[in-house]
Amino acid sequence: MTYGILAGLTWALETIILGIALGMSPFVSTEQAVFLAPFVSTFIHDFCSALWAMLYNGVRGNLKNVWKAFCKKGGKFVALAAVIGGPIGMTGYVMAINYMGASIGAVASAIFPAIGSILAYLFLKEKMQWYRWIFLIATLLGVYGLSYSPDLNITNFWLGIIGAMMCAFGWGIEAVILAKCMQDPEVKDEYALQIRQTTSALVYGIVIIPVLKGWGFTIQLFTSGTGWLIPVIALAAFFATLSYLCYYKAISSIGASKSMALNVTYAAWSIVFTVVILRDTSVLTPMTVLCAVVVIICGILAATDFRELFAKNK
């Protein structure tokens, strides 16, 4: 459960930092830049994350084991999950941030635990006790409350909603596939992370960016002196890699539905980091503080099996 909470906390950091990157001039300079921003930034983000994961696995001497894991049936399904969670889910997530703002994008995409929990129940037979459903619903209501503002700066509502739905279904399905794959002891969480991020980056670089004719714009970001843009995305990718690592460890140890309930607390942590990093205290209204507390507490309770807990205590 600690890994699940850390996954949410580090993903909130990633959300804030990526939101800063998307607001930088190269991504808002032209109509083409605005259109390509979600796709190009996600490609750079996942590419940098794959490098961070490679550094982690390389230091630990795991790169050979990563290849062995990929050659197994479970490893190939991890690659499939990467396509669903990366090019589909992550693009939707960045679209939600880009068209609805960082905090609203985070909140809108946070419905994925409900979808994932239903899928985990249907395909993995993970039991979801009635009180955990209540706490999960309360968490999502808290997330909805965090999204309310009379002065929202939404540039394209429908594209933002489409992005949020892509993200919710992509991440929900991904978590279920990963939980199944990591039941194989040879497909460890850190190996799955490497496969996931590398596959996602390759699909973006080989398929999505060329189809959108975005390689010229992408190369320009690296060659035309865009200041701190690439380092900021790389920093966001670093925290994303930490988040994924914690998230995968949580999935492998406590299951998909519990891990998703804990991971979704990033919607509340993003409010905390908005104040700490962006110095934006306007988000500290009684409503947001109350909803943030509800999201964190109910998210933890939604991941808690009280019968297991009491049995262990006895």
Side-chain angles (χ1 to χ4, degrees), residues 88-173:
I88 296 175
M90 189 63 185
T91 295
Y93 172 68
V94 177
M95 284 175 63
I97 292 177
N98 196 44
Y99 296 121
M100 302 179 78
S103 61
I104 306 305
V107 166
S109 61
I111 63 172
F112 82 91
I115 295 169
S117 294
I118 293 171
L119 295 173
Y121 173 77
L122 293 174
F123 296 103
L124 300 179
K125 307 304 178 185
E126 289 188 9
K127 293 182 179 179
M128 189 82 166
Q129 292 81 9
W130 63 268
Y131 53 84
R132 288 176 56 203
W133 278 112
I134 291 174
F135 286 129
L136 179 58
I137 292 170
T139 303
L140 299 182
L141 288 175
V143 166
Y144 174 78
L146 285 173
S147 71
Y148 176 76
S149 171
D151 300 310
L152 296 180
N153 184 24
I154 298 175
T155 57
N156 193 314
F157 176 80
W158 290 112
L159 283 178
I161 288 295
I162 290 171
M165 291 299 101
M166 287 169 58
C167 175
F169 278 92
W171 286 354
I173 295 169

Side-chain angles (χ1 to χ4, degrees), residues 9-10 12-13 16 268-279:
L9 194 149
T10 48
L13 271 171
I16 298 300
W269 296 121
S270 66
I271 300 296
V272 176
F273 291 124
T274 296
V275 175
V276 174
I277 297 175
L278 302 181
R279 305 292 182 182

